[in-house]
Amino acid sequence: MNKLMLFIHKTGSPPWFYENSGRLLPWIWGLFFALAATGLYLGLLQAPPDYLQGESARIMYVHVPSAYLSMMIYALMATMGFVGLVWHIRIAEILMISSAPIGATFTALALFTGAVWGKPTWGTYWVWDARLTSELILLFLYFGVMGLYSAYDEPRKAARAAALLALVGVVNLPIIHFSVTWWNTLHQPPSLTTDGSSIHPSMLVPMLVMLFAWKVFYLGNLITRARLRLLEQDQRKRWVAHALGRGGN
């Protein structure tokens, strides 16, 4: 077995994951609160209002990072599902299903803030726009993954079924991303691209800070949920009694 596979299987060990992830959690949550406070302060108090949309554009500091995370988390969820299917690593399966409710929350937040933003900008809360519709489908895919997992009593079978659905749903991600260029839509083109950004630095910096804050939030929430699910599944195993007996990190 090569070094990479040894590392993957080592980090996939439930006792190793539980112990070492617990050490990281306080730092992760501390970093999140610092970033979120900084990003909200810069975005809500320091950044100037948009020259066209005025103060209503400030919602983009939550909307844009939430929309980005909704797609990023789904891609990671599908990747972890693939790892679980191919290498049968249980931690990957647990991380996959633990990602689903977080991704669904970010997707719902992106849809809600987009609707609030759309009312003063477009004159309506919702249109069956290509970007909005494909983002709504993403929310249903998250619900589908969670529902399918819950339909099985055995966690390993549930994880395999949910992973297959997650992999099929990946086809929706490029549709979301390229919808504003493939079709005529009310939604504005992407502000952040590989060629740079069309946003002024005074508005770009708080958005990037909030984007990083949301990523850290996902990591902390994911680890917390995965640890709880792992304890629930392994509650009768010796390593759980040992971990909880010494405080469990």
Side-chain angles (χ1 to χ4, degrees):
M1 185 178 292
N2 60 42
K3 292 183 178 180
L4 176 60
M5 292 305 300
L6 283 173
F7 175 77
I8 290 175
H9 281 278
K10 178 182 178 181
T11 55
S13 164
W16 189 96
F17 173 83
Y18 186 85
E19 180 178 356
N20 289 279
S21 63
R23 294 171 180 168
L24 293 175
L25 275 178
W27 298 96
I28 292 172
W29 287 119
L31 179 60
F32 161 69
F33 285 116
L35 287 169
T38 302
L40 290 174
Y41 172 76
L42 293 174
L44 300 180
L45 299 177
Q46 291 294 307
D50 185 77
Y51 75 101
L52 286 177
Q53 302 174 37
E55 298 292 345
S56 65
R58 295 189 189 277
I59 202 168
M60 71 179 179
Y61 300 118
V62 175
H63 171 72
V64 174
S66 298
Y68 180 91
L69 263 291
S70 70
M71 293 188 290
M72 186 199 82
I73 293 173
Y74 194 93
L76 291 174
M77 182 180 72
T79 301
M80 289 181 284
F82 178 79
V83 171
L85 282 172
V86 174
W87 289 290
H88 307 290
I89 298 176
R90 189 159 65 97
I91 291 297
E93 298 172 354
I94 290 175
L95 290 173
M96 176 204 66
I97 196 58
S98 298
S99 291
I102 313 172
T105 300
F106 275 117
T107 307
L109 184 59
L111 289 168
F112 174 75
T113 53
V116 173
W117 190 4
K119 180 60 176 177
T121 305
W122 305 331
T124 181
Y125 289 110
W126 180 266
V127 291
W128 291 101
D129 175 275
R131 170 63 64 85
L132 274 64
T133 303
S134 54
E135 185 75 7
L136 181 61
I137 291 172
L138 181 64
L139 180 61
F140 291 152
L141 284 168
Y142 276 121
F143 288 157
V145 168
M146 290 186 287
L148 188 58
Y149 184 89
S150 300
Y152 289 82
D153 293 328
E154 207 286 305
R156 304 304 299 271
K157 290 182 179 179
R160 287 193 288 271
L164 288 172
L165 177 58
L167 288 168
V168 171
V170 167
V171 70
N172 189 48
L173 297 184
I175 295 176
I176 297 174
H177 181 72
F178 293 108
S179 58
V180 292
T181 56
W182 287 349
W183 295 285
N184 292 323
T185 82
L186 284 175
H187 199 285
Q188 68 186 55
S191 301
L192 299 175
T193 66
T194 54
D195 297 326
S197 171
S198 60
I199 306 176
H200 190 273
S202 62
M203 304 172 77
L204 177 62
V205 170
M207 184 182 295
L208 292 177
V209 173
M210 285 302 299
L211 176 60
F212 191 35
W214 261 197
K215 289 181 178 181
V216 176
F217 175 83
Y218 163 64
L219 179 61
N221 205 325
L222 175 63
I223 291 175
T224 301
R225 287 175 176 272
R227 282 162 56 87
L228 291 174
R229 190 176 292 274
L230 192 57
L231 289 179
E232 181 182 359
Q233 290 186 7
D234 288 5
Q235 56 185 306
R236 296 182 180 179
K237 293 187 178 179
R238 183 179 301 175
W239 76 263
V240 173
H242 178 64
L244 297 180
R246 66 168 189 267
N249 294 318

